[in-house]
Amino acid sequence: MSSKQVSSNTLLQEKLVPNPFDVNDDQMLEKIYMTHYHCVEKYDVGSLHSIASKVIDHSIEIAHSIKQNGEQNEQVREEKDTLISCPRLPTLKRISCQMICTGRGEQYAHQTTMLILEQLREYSWDAKAVIALAAFALEYGKFWQLVPIPRDKLGKSLAELNGLHSIMENMQQLDHFNNLVKKVMEVVKCITRWKKLITGDYNVKDVPALTDTLHEIPVLAYWTIITLVTCTSHIDFLGDKGYRYDLSKFDYKLDYILKNFKEHQDKCNTQIERIKDYSKRKDIINNSTETDIVKYLEALIIPVDPQDPRPVVYNVLAQKESGIGVFKNKYVLLFISGTDNIDYETQLLISIDVKLREEPKEVEGYRKEDFGILWIPIVSVWDEEQTKKVENISEVGWYVVKEFKFKTGIDLIKEVFNYKGNPIILLISPQGKVENHDAKQIISTWGIEGFPFRTSDHIRLTQQWNWFWTEIKNLSSTIRELINRDCYIFIYGGTNSKWIENFSSAVEKLKNSGTFSLVETTIESYKLGSESPKNVPRFWITIDNMLASRKRKKKGDAEVEDSTTREIKNLLSLKQDPNGWAILTKGSHVKLLGFGDAMLRTVMDLEIWKEKLDHEVSFDVAFKDYYEKCELKSVPKKCEHKEFANYPTDILAHLPCPNKKCGHEMGVASVKYKCCHGLETGDIA
């Protein structure tokens, strides 16, 4: 074959083999992936990478030493590596031989690279890159082992065969070569770090940015190998005095793809750090034994990353910024919601906020001053409209987290508190323990009577009137129907027919006033004994017997009165009112026990207090507030009294006067109880 034919065949081959710099990454990815099979071969990539890197590092050190001193630094460092299940040496040597025998030109480098990828088809992408790096190190290390020229005959002969006599005259070109080698090593290091990332505890669902790296890694591995192939094919020419070759194309290409890959890798690391931060915060929230309310709230709303917007905790009443530290040693009613359709919940908390500042300040060992309200509004976009909605809620004694955008905190709220957009209210103790996941239920049902708003308080309040409903349901089918409707019910009675008539008329007028248009404020009434007058004495006798049968509990030497006993006494005290009495309930929840005159006045004065319905939570709250004012103006002239017959002797003990306005103890006179605080009106029998 003539030289002309050889040249023609070479040109034809170059036309058939694409120049990789003329192919875009998407097209290249398709070609590369055809050479890849699922990973079967298992070996220690880390050890192979470590050995190859050290060989190359030492070689570059020799080159640098020669450039600086004109001779090799003789310092020797003894290092040991253990290589486990590395590719067989013949495979490694075959690949290095293919690399060094590659012709000069991008097309030939591409051919060799695709051949190497075919041979390594069952290896992972990081393994392909590391094996190519090791094959390069095999040749590059041998080359620099002969520099400077050895003194022994064999070494001199080998150096001469490798053309190393002119190495000192070619140092500038060698610097460019070594810089490219360093860049390739950096790329391989990124690939091995990526491998550790995807084989760790995270997947693309947890770390979405991993998806981008999965698409980029085959192309990155390809350009790593083709650059190493090109560098290896030029090793034999490094000692050539006239060696000149421009490798800048590979330099620029590696810069470009490495920059993109690092950006996605940084995103992965950021997302992983957020996962770790999320897990740490979740542990704080779920582990109340090692936290407190301040740490709890900080884990929920305060970001660590300075790039995350830091929310502002705002004191609404004082109109100034505050810190989470204000909640130290406090119980926190944590209100979480959007900014739309929350009028009901905000009015609930406005009412509770007012009541928390009223007397008495302590209930069952819980001090109202130890309770605070924190609102975390959550919206998709904080704009001027959303900000104004938050700012419109003013003159309340709670705190609000303004412009809460902390994604980790929002995700925690959704997972830990099962927040799905509907307003929720939680009670969190000073120790950072959620004592009630649904404090909204007890607040909406019982108001301040539900204080301190624990789950047990709701159960207690619900059950403490079971005795009342059991008896009253036995008297009437009508009352059973009204309870099932969950409407407001006035249950009333008394011995004064005039009061009964006036109260009945006032309630009817109240019902027909047109003020209450909502289903939630449907009002009904039931007169005790309306179906049978005999039911009245039967009811009160049963209640009297209930009190007599209550067993006293002792705490040390003192007697402790439970809530049911207190409510029975309060109910019995109503019977003593000469005018009448009334009970306001919402379904089966008793809201108010009221004396005759004050209850009648409250019903009749609807026009005076109905404006409060625009600012209060519900009908019963507004009603009760006005009733308490009326009650202060109509204190009975005589204290309540009790007279019992045929009671066991162990009941003969001092009892408090049932009248809340009195507070004195009742003396025991035989089996007749009377208030003993010495009113000028005389003793009451």
Side-chain angles (χ1 to χ4, degrees):
M1 184 180 292
S2 66
S3 61
K4 189 175 182 180
Q5 287 176 316
V6 171
S7 177
S8 177
N9 289 339
T10 302
L11 289 172
L12 179 62
Q13 187 176 11
E14 288 180 354
K15 288 181 180 179
L16 293 175
V17 178
N19 186 322
F21 289 98
D22 297 334
V23 181
N24 65 46
D25 287 345
D26 290 335
Q27 293 172 325
M28 187 62 74
L29 176 63
E30 185 177 350
K31 293 178 179 295
I32 297 167
Y33 224 89
M34 290 177 64
T35 67
H36 185 65
Y37 192 62
H38 69 275
C39 304
V40 175
E41 294 290 341
K42 304 293 182 183
Y43 68 98
D44 189 351
V45 175
S47 294
L48 181 61
H49 182 221
S50 176
I51 292 174
S53 298
K54 287 173 182 175
V55 170
I56 297 171
D57 286 339
H58 292 332
S59 299
I60 293 174
E61 283 178 13
I62 292 171
H64 180 73
S65 177
I66 290 174
K67 181 180 178 181
Q68 296 293 322
N69 307 317
E71 59 183 7
Q72 182 179 357
N73 189 334
E74 295 296 333
Q75 181 181 0
V76 178
R77 289 172 295 181
E78 184 178 347
E79 299 179 30
K80 295 182 179 180
D81 287 289
T82 302
L83 190 59
I84 303 172
S85 302
C86 69
R88 289 177 298 173
L89 187 59
T91 302
L92 197 61
K93 295 191 75 171
R94 182 175 67 249
I95 292 173
S96 70
C97 182
Q98 291 167 350
M99 292 167 69
I100 204 165
C101 292
T102 300
R104 294 169 68 174
E106 290 87 0
Q107 290 94 334
Y108 299 113
H110 171 73
Q111 269 188 318
T112 302
T113 300
M114 297 304 290
L115 179 62
I116 292 171
L117 288 173
E118 284 285 352
Q119 294 174 78
L120 302 177
R121 64 186 296 114
E122 294 182 347
Y123 289 87
S124 60
W125 292 108
D126 65 314
K128 299 178 200 287
V130 169
I131 292 170
L133 184 71
F136 168 77
L138 198 62
E139 297 298 331
Y140 200 52
K142 286 191 295 184
F143 176 84
W144 283 105
Q145 193 176 26
L146 298 174
V147 181
I149 307 302
R151 296 171 183 173
D152 62 280
K153 293 181 180 180
L154 177 61
K156 288 180 180 180
S157 299
L158 285 172
E160 188 173 351
L161 283 173
N162 282 275
L164 299 180
H165 296 285
S166 305
I167 192 70
M168 293 297 295
E169 301 176 19
N170 210 20
M171 291 306 294
Q172 185 175 0
Q173 185 76 12
L174 188 62
D175 284 344
H176 295 156
F177 184 90
N178 281 339
N179 287 337
L180 180 60
V181 172
K182 290 177 183 178
K183 191 163 292 182
V184 176
M185 292 178 68
E186 183 182 354
V187 175
V188 175
K189 188 178 291 185
C190 281
I191 293 174
T192 56
R193 286 175 181 169
W194 168 84
K195 179 64 175 180
K196 292 177 181 178
L197 203 64
I198 65 167
T199 54
D201 298 328
Y202 311 104
N203 52 45
V204 292
K205 183 179 179 182
D206 300 323
V207 187
L210 279 175
T211 304
D212 296 323
T213 64
L214 287 169
H215 287 114
E216 290 178 340
I217 202 69
V219 176
L220 190 62
Y222 167 83
W223 282 104
T224 299
I225 295 172
I226 194 173
T227 304
L228 288 168
V229 168
T230 302
C231 288
T232 307
S233 68
H234 285 71
I235 288 176
D236 286 344
F237 301 97
L238 293 178
D240 189 341
K241 187 175 182 180
Y243 169 72
R244 294 290 184 274
Y245 190 78
D246 185 9
L247 297 173
S248 60
K249 282 186 178 181
F250 293 93
D251 207 351
Y252 297 145
K253 184 66 178 181
L254 287 180
D255 278 339
Y256 174 74
I257 60 175
L258 187 59
K259 177 177 177 292
N260 291 338
F261 187 76
K262 279 187 172 181
E263 286 177 358
H264 291 133
Q265 204 166 35
D266 288 343
K267 286 183 181 178
C268 290
N269 291 330
T270 299
Q271 291 171 0
I272 288 172
E273 286 304 314
R274 288 188 181 276
I275 291 172
K276 291 179 178 177
D277 182 49
Y278 183 92
S279 179
K280 181 180 178 182
R281 291 171 183 270
K282 186 177 177 181
D283 288 343
I284 291 173
I285 290 172
N286 289 333
N287 187 5
S288 61
T289 58
E290 297 181 4
T291 189
D292 57 48
I293 188 62
V294 174
K295 290 181 180 178
Y296 188 99
L297 294 175
E298 285 178 343
L300 202 60
I301 65 177
I302 304 298
V304 175
D305 191 337
Q307 294 183 353
D308 287 316
R310 193 174 182 88
V312 174
V313 179
Y314 193 73
N315 185 326
V316 180
L317 193 61
Q319 294 288 296
K320 66 178 183 180
E321 293 183 13
S322 182
I324 294 296
V326 297
F327 294 105
K328 187 174 179 61
N329 299 323
K330 297 273 188 181
Y331 286 87
V332 175
L333 286 169
L334 185 61
F335 175 38
I336 302 171
S337 72
T339 57
D340 297 320
N341 304 316
I342 57 170
D343 291 346
Y344 176 73
E345 287 76 17
T346 53
Q347 293 302 329
L348 268 179
L349 291 173
I350 287 172
S351 174
I352 292 300
D353 175 57
V354 171
K355 298 295 183 182
L356 285 175
R357 294 197 292 270
E358 291 180 351
E359 298 290 344
K361 291 295 185 181
E362 186 170 324
V363 178
E364 294 188 1
Y366 288 84
R367 300 187 305 171
K368 290 182 178 179
E369 62 195 55
D370 291 337
F371 281 69
I373 300 172
L374 176 64
W375 178 27
I376 303 180
I378 297 177
V379 298
S380 55
V381 178
W382 277 103
D383 53 22
E384 186 177 352
E385 180 185 358
Q386 299 292 354
T387 303
K388 283 183 178 179
K389 288 179 181 179
V390 174
E391 292 175 349
N392 285 340
I393 300 176
S394 59
E395 298 182 4
V396 292
W398 67 44
Y399 296 80
V400 59
V401 181
K402 281 191 170 182
E403 298 192 14
F404 184 58
K405 304 174 185 177
F406 184 33
K407 187 177 184 304
T408 300
I410 293 172
D411 291 342
L412 274 170
I413 286 170
K414 290 179 178 179
E415 180 186 353
V416 178
F417 303 145
N418 196 29
Y419 175 72
K420 297 180 179 178
N422 295 323
I424 59 174
I425 303 173
L426 305 100
L427 173 66
I428 307 173
S429 73
Q431 292 74 39
K433 179 182 179 182
V434 178
E435 295 205 356
N436 192 346
H437 284 87
D438 187 15
K440 176 183 170 182
Q441 180 189 31
I442 188 171
I443 292 172
S444 60
T445 303
W446 300 103
I448 196 64
E449 298 298 325
F451 183 85
F453 314 118
R454 300 161 299 180
T455 303
S456 58
D457 294 313
H458 181 69
I459 296 171
R460 170 180 57 79
L461 289 167
T462 302
Q463 294 179 349
Q464 76 176 18
W465 285 96
N466 285 349
W467 56 271
F468 172 75
W469 293 114
T470 299
E471 182 55 31
I472 207 164
K473 285 178 183 179
N474 289 334
L475 303 179
S476 170
S477 58
T478 302
I479 198 68
R480 288 198 295 270
E481 181 183 342
L482 294 177
I483 292 169
N484 292 335
R485 286 168 54 188
D486 198 36
C487 58
Y488 284 105
I489 311 169
F490 283 103
I491 302 172
Y492 63 99
T495 56
N496 187 323
S497 59
K498 181 64 175 175
W499 183 91
I500 294 290
E501 181 181 347
N502 290 339
F503 188 79
S504 299
S505 299
V507 171
E508 285 301 314
K509 185 177 179 181
L510 179 74
K511 290 163 56 177
N512 300 322
S513 65
T515 303
F516 313 105
S517 57
L518 298 176
V519 175
E520 290 83 355
T521 50
T522 301
I523 298 171
E524 300 293 345
S525 60
Y526 172 75
K527 178 180 175 293
L528 184 64
S530 58
E531 294 175 343
S532 173
K534 294 180 180 180
N535 287 338
V536 177
R538 174 186 167 188
F539 173 78
W540 290 115
I541 290 171
T542 302
I543 301 303
D544 275 333
N545 288 332
M546 281 184 185
L547 180 62
S549 63
R550 298 295 296 177
K551 293 182 179 180
R552 291 190 183 84
K553 298 179 181 179
K554 285 196 173 185
K555 188 174 183 180
D557 295 332
E559 290 185 353
V560 179
E561 188 174 70
D562 62 30
S563 59
T564 299
T565 302
R566 284 197 300 272
E567 299 302 347
I568 292 174
K569 289 180 179 180
N570 290 336
L571 179 61
L572 287 171
S573 71
L574 296 183
K575 186 179 69 168
Q576 310 303 322
D577 192 311
N579 290 316
W581 54 269
I583 302 172
L584 175 62
T585 78
K586 177 72 162 62
S588 60
H589 302 307
V590 175
K591 298 292 185 178
L592 176 64
L593 304 180
F595 292 97
D597 285 346
M599 286 295 280
L600 177 59
R601 176 54 54 194
T602 304
V603 175
M604 293 175 65
D605 287 350
L606 171 65
E607 293 300 319
I608 298 176
W609 58 265
K610 72 177 183 180
E611 291 183 0
K612 292 198 70 178
L613 294 173
D614 296 330
H615 308 288
E616 291 289 350
V617 177
S618 56
F619 168 76
D620 58 280
V621 172
F623 188 95
K624 185 176 180 181
D625 282 350
Y626 191 78
Y627 166 83
E628 289 174 349
K629 295 176 183 177
C630 293
E631 188 182 25
L632 290 174
K633 299 176 183 178
S634 58
V635 177
K637 293 181 180 179
K638 296 182 178 181
C639 279
E640 284 71 19
H641 62 279
K642 296 284 184 292
E643 184 172 349
F644 305 119
N646 300 321
Y647 273 63
T649 56
D650 64 355
I651 198 173
L652 301 181
H654 288 280
L655 299 176
C657 179
N659 185 354
K660 295 179 181 178
K661 307 300 180 186
C662 172
H664 292 77
E665 286 190 343
M666 300 172 69
V668 180
S670 183
V671 291
K672 182 185 293 184
Y673 283 90
K674 64 179 181 179
C675 186
C676 62
H677 63 275
L679 288 177
E680 293 179 359
T681 53
D683 294 336
I684 304 300

